[in-house]
Amino acid sequence: MSRWLTEEEQRAWRGLLRMTSQLNARMNRQLMQDYGISLTDYEVLSEDSQGRLRVFEIADALAWEQSRVSHQLARMQRRGLIAREDCASDARGAFAVLTEAGRAAIERAAPAHVETVRQLVFDGLSHDQLTALTEITTGVLDRLAATAG
């Protein structure tokens, strides 16, 4: 028997989906207009702060499927944001290496992106709301990790 969502749960769930979708769209638009990179570019570039990551490390960090990472890295490579290098210790593995253009892009975009996140999300939250949001997201992510299969 299905346990249907209550009206309050349905409002919360749909609100979460709409909020996430609208935040992603706004962030993507801002990054594209002002810096010429997408939100997904930004996510990859900000994970690669050391300048060199294995492709599987990017997939794990972003919780993306391997194919999504490969396609995203190919797009970024064509635009000169990253380069791919073979892994000497694992013939099947590869590194995504930040190029000078990739490093410059993330360094230009990060301050404005963080300010936009602060304005749209955190400036409107009280300390108690921030604590609750952190507990909620951590709890859901922990449950997702525990049931991953």
Side-chain angles (χ1 to χ4, degrees):
M1 172 181 251
S2 294
R3 294 186 322 142
W4 296 104
L5 299 179
T6 66
E7 272 189 52
E8 184 177 25
E9 290 168 335
Q10 187 74 270
R11 275 194 314 276
W13 174 243
R14 290 187 181 276
L16 176 63
L17 293 176
R18 276 192 308 277
M19 179 189 70
T20 302
S21 178
Q22 288 180 24
L23 283 171
N24 285 336
R26 176 84 61 96
M27 295 294 151
N28 192 61
R29 219 174 12 260
Q30 181 249 341
L31 287 166
M32 287 298 295
Q33 287 173 355
D34 297 345
Y35 302 100
I37 62 172
S38 68
L39 181 57
T40 51
D41 294 337
Y42 184 91
E43 289 180 272
V44 172
L45 292 170
S46 63
E47 280 302 323
D48 199 358
S49 61
Q50 305 302 312
R52 179 183 180 94
L53 278 178
R54 294 283 302 268
V55 173
F56 79 86
E57 292 173 314
I58 296 169
D60 288 349
L62 297 175
W64 289 0
E65 296 294 325
Q66 188 75 28
S67 62
R68 180 178 180 190
V69 174
S70 293
H71 290 296
Q72 179 63 31
L73 293 178
R75 286 188 293 273
M76 293 174 74
Q77 186 175 12
R78 284 191 297 274
R79 293 180 20 246
L81 297 171
I82 62 111
R84 285 188 191 234
E85 291 181 3
D86 292 333
C87 178
S89 63
D90 178 1
R92 295 173 297 146
F95 287 97
V97 180
L98 214 53
T99 63
E100 287 184 32
R103 182 158 314 280
I106 193 69
E107 287 175 356
R108 277 191 321 271
H113 177 72
V114 170
E115 183 57 32
T116 301
V117 170
R118 181 170 298 290
Q119 289 172 3
L120 294 175
V121 179
F122 297 107
D123 286 352
L125 298 179
S126 69
H127 176 72
D128 289 344
Q129 289 172 319
L130 176 58
T131 300
L133 178 60
T134 302
E135 290 172 356
I136 291 164
T137 56
T138 301
V140 171
L141 289 170
D142 287 349
R143 282 192 299 282
L144 287 168
T147 60

